[in-house]
Amino acid sequence: MATESRRPDPAREVSDDLPVMPGFREMAIRRRELAATLVELRRESGLSQTQVAARMGTSQSAVARLEAGEVDVRLSTLERYAAAVGHHLDVRLGGRVPTRGSEE
C-alpha cells in the first residue's frame, strides 16, 4: 500500500504573530498556500531549490525563504518561480473580502 504525502494546511500553521489588520491574516494565509503549491510543483518536477534558483537567476537561499513564506515577494518573482517549474501563474481579482466591523 503506497503512502500518500499529505500537504500541510497553511491555515493551521499560521501563528498568532501574523498581522491583525482586517484582511491581512487572510492574505498571509493565501501567500502561504501559494508557497506550499509552488513547493509541491517543484518536487513533482524533480527539481531542487538550487535548480529552481538557477532557472530564476537567484540564490537557493532566496528560493528557500520564498518557499517558507518568510518574505513578501513581488508578483514577477512568483511568475519566474512558476516558469522555472514549468507552469505559469494566473492572477485574478476576487470579490470583496468582508472585514471585521464591516456592515455587509
Side-chain angles (χ1 to χ4, degrees), residues 43-60:
R43 289 178 178 159
E44 287 174 0
S45 299
L47 297 170
S48 68
Q49 288 181 341
T50 302
Q51 291 169 312
V52 169
R55 290 178 179 194
M56 291 176 63
T58 191
S59 66
Q60 178 275 328

Side-chain angles (χ1 to χ4, degrees), residues 11-32:
R12 291 181 185 224
E13 295 176 7
V14 175
S15 65
D16 288 333
D17 63 345
L18 286 177
V20 293
M21 299 280 296
F24 282 31
R25 182 178 192 82
E26 292 76 13
M27 287 188 298
I29 291 169
R30 285 193 304 274
R31 279 194 307 273
R32 289 189 182 182

Side-chain angles (χ1 to χ4, degrees), residues 5-101:
S5 66
R6 296 182 61 163
R7 195 161 120 196
D9 181 1
R12 291 181 185 224
E13 295 176 7
V14 175
S15 65
D16 288 333
D17 63 345
L18 286 177
V20 293
M21 299 280 296
F24 282 31
R25 182 178 192 82
E26 292 76 13
M27 287 188 298
I29 291 169
R30 285 193 304 274
R31 279 194 307 273
R32 289 189 182 182
E33 289 171 345
L34 178 57
T37 299
L38 291 171
V39 171
E40 188 175 304
L41 290 171
R42 175 180 61 77
R43 289 178 178 159
E44 287 174 0
S45 299
L47 297 170
S48 68
Q49 288 181 341
T50 302
Q51 291 169 312
V52 169
R55 290 178 179 194
M56 291 176 63
T58 191
S59 66
Q60 178 275 328
S61 61
V63 170
R65 286 190 305 273
L66 183 155
E67 290 184 357
E70 295 176 0
V71 291
D72 191 5
V73 299
R74 293 179 177 178
L75 180 58
S76 60
T77 302
L78 294 172
E79 290 172 325
R80 286 187 2 251
Y81 188 113
V85 296
H87 288 76
H88 68 275
L89 188 65
D90 286 325
V91 180
R92 64 183 170 84
L93 184 62
R96 293 186 61 92
V97 177
T99 58
R100 291 182 204 147

